[in-house]
Amino acid sequence: MVGSHFQHNSMTANCSNDYPDTSVLFSELRADFPRTVLMAVACALVLACLAIFLEELVFLHQVYHGNGVKVRKVATILGLYPVTIVMALMALMAPKISFLLDLFASCYLSVCFFTLVSLIIDTFGNEARMIEHFRGMTIQTSLPPCCCCCCCILRPRLLTEQSLFFFKLCALQVAVIRPVLSIIAAALWFDGIYKQDLTSPASAYLYITTITVISALFSMYGTIVICRATSPFLKSYRIGVKFFSLQLLLITSTIQSLVFNILATHGIPGCIASRGPAVRDNAFNHFALIVETFLLCLLARKGYRMDETILPGPTPREDLPGCDNEFGHAHWREDNYGAIENNTIEIESTKLN
């Protein structure tokens, strides 16, 4: 009984949140069949995702031959999934550098949001044509996630050059802020003072994570406003599928990682041998990210697997006097209200005569 108690204390004492070296990790895999199977499944999903991406590149060059700008922008977005899944697999195999790999993947993701906004604007031709398409119409701005805290000031407004610039800025700022924060975090990490601690007010990780999440939410907001406003005019372009594949990856890569870090600070899951909660949560997070990224890769393929050169273009606004659906919300123009009032007056005059 005493020996059993001593053995338990020894295992607890050896429980560490330090990430193991790759050599140690692979030596343990040989003796752990379930983990070996999971690693093989992860490698198979990564190879499948890379094969899908290569097939998509061939398709893009065949369909948009001669339109290099279109090919580059779509390939940038579709390349997000193989980049993310490869970084997650490398984080499983080399957990000591998982922090740097996650930073690289998150920076790439931030660029893709602005690229999607740019693609939507290109569908109308350019910014001037897009603004002309919405001339006299208001768009809904009380949308998540900002509607939860700014509902009083987010009212329907006209889409003008200034408002479009603001929504573009919301989508673009994360592509600047996140790399800057990543460089700061990497510098602190190399100096050994960057620890994943959300409980200490003196922890740099707490403030960098908070700013990163706020920046990501504003980027999501700007993209949501533009996607929902333009979706009724671009129904055949599958804007909803294209956006949700990005949005879900942002949630799984950012919010999911934050949840696992919170669990690790509370000792969940418990230690196994010398592996502490932080090490195990890191492995769980990246394996789940591999599975989720592969599924979102299939969703993104559905969204972009089309020949947009044969599509008729944005629906004329005359065919949409008002739209209110799950993707967008636009109000009638003021002259339409005036026409309705004039018709009402004429009807009343006819009745009196």
Side-chain angles (χ1 to χ4, degrees), residues 11-20 28 35 95 196 260-261 263-284:
M11 290 178 62
T12 304
N14 291 331
C15 183
S16 172
N17 281 325
D18 294 332
Y19 295 116
E28 292 178 349
R35 288 176 61 189
Q196 294 183 349
F260 274 111
N261 287 335
L263 292 176
T265 57
H266 290 82
I268 302 173
C271 293
I272 290 184
S274 62
R275 298 291 173 259
V279 179
R280 298 188 64 201
D281 276 326
N282 181 71
F284 291 152

Side-chain angles (χ1 to χ4, degrees), residues 27-313:
S27 64
E28 292 178 349
L29 281 177
R30 299 190 188 98
D32 192 343
F33 181 74
R35 288 176 61 189
T36 304
V37 172
L38 291 178
M39 188 67 76
V41 170
C43 292
L45 293 178
V46 171
L47 291 177
C49 184
L50 291 174
I52 292 174
F53 177 65
L54 292 177
E55 185 268 338
E56 289 168 341
L57 287 181
V58 174
F59 174 79
L60 290 176
H61 282 284
Q62 290 176 346
V63 173
Y64 304 111
H65 180 70
N67 190 351
V69 176
K70 179 78 171 183
V71 172
R72 284 195 297 271
K73 289 183 178 180
V74 177
T76 298
I77 296 178
L78 293 176
L80 169 66
Y81 306 96
V83 167
T84 302
I85 203 170
V86 168
M87 293 299 105
L89 180 63
M90 292 177 63
L92 276 179
M93 295 182 173
K96 275 198 170 184
I97 61 171
S98 60
F99 169 71
L100 296 179
L101 298 172
D102 291 339
L103 287 182
F104 179 79
S106 64
C107 290
Y108 193 106
L109 174 61
S110 62
V111 174
C112 290
F113 273 94
F114 180 74
T115 305
L116 177 60
V117 172
S118 178
L119 274 177
I120 293 175
I121 295 175
D122 290 344
T123 306
F124 288 89
N126 51 47
E127 292 186 17
R129 291 183 180 180
M130 179 177 174
I131 294 173
E132 177 63 24
H133 204 86
F134 282 86
R135 182 174 58 85
M137 301 179 67
T138 57
I139 61 174
Q140 185 182 8
T141 61
S142 57
L143 297 172
C146 291
C147 66
C148 302
C149 57
C150 307
C151 56
C152 297
I153 61 176
L154 297 178
R155 299 177 180 177
R157 63 175 59 207
L158 293 172
L159 184 64
T160 61
E161 185 177 352
Q162 291 75 19
S163 59
L164 180 59
F165 174 77
F166 172 76
F167 296 131
K168 283 179 57 182
L169 185 62
C170 287
L172 177 62
Q173 50 82 27
V174 72
V176 178
I177 293 178
R178 181 165 287 191
V180 171
L181 292 177
S182 299
I183 293 174
I184 296 174
L188 296 175
W189 182 78
F190 278 115
D191 202 33
I193 59 177
Y194 188 82
K195 304 295 182 181
Q196 294 183 349
D197 184 8
L198 293 171
T199 59
S200 174
S203 172
Y205 177 77
L206 174 63
Y207 300 104
I208 291 178
T209 302
T210 302
I211 297 174
T212 300
V213 171
I214 293 175
S215 176
L217 291 178
F218 271 102
S219 177
M220 187 188 301
Y221 170 74
T223 309
I224 287 176
V225 171
I226 294 178
C227 287
R228 290 203 176 187
T230 59
S231 183
F233 303 98
L234 305 174
K235 289 183 178 180
S236 56
Y237 288 82
R238 303 173 187 170
I239 297 298
V241 177
K242 295 175 180 177
F243 170 70
F244 286 131
S245 60
L246 277 182
Q247 183 184 30
L248 292 176
L249 187 57
L250 174 66
I251 294 173
T252 54
S253 62
T254 303
I255 308 301
Q256 176 179 280
S257 177
L258 183 61
V259 170
F260 274 111
N261 287 335
I262 293 175
L263 292 176
T265 57
H266 290 82
I268 302 173
C271 293
I272 290 184
S274 62
R275 298 291 173 259
V279 179
R280 298 188 64 201
D281 276 326
N282 181 71
F284 291 152
N285 175 41
H286 287 100
F287 181 79
L289 185 60
I290 289 174
V291 178
E292 294 157 353
T293 304
F294 175 74
L295 297 177
L296 293 176
C297 172
L298 298 177
L299 180 63
R301 183 182 184 275
K302 176 180 176 62
Y304 290 95
R305 184 73 178 190
M306 68 174 74
D307 186 357
E308 295 184 1
T309 59
I310 63 176
L311 296 180

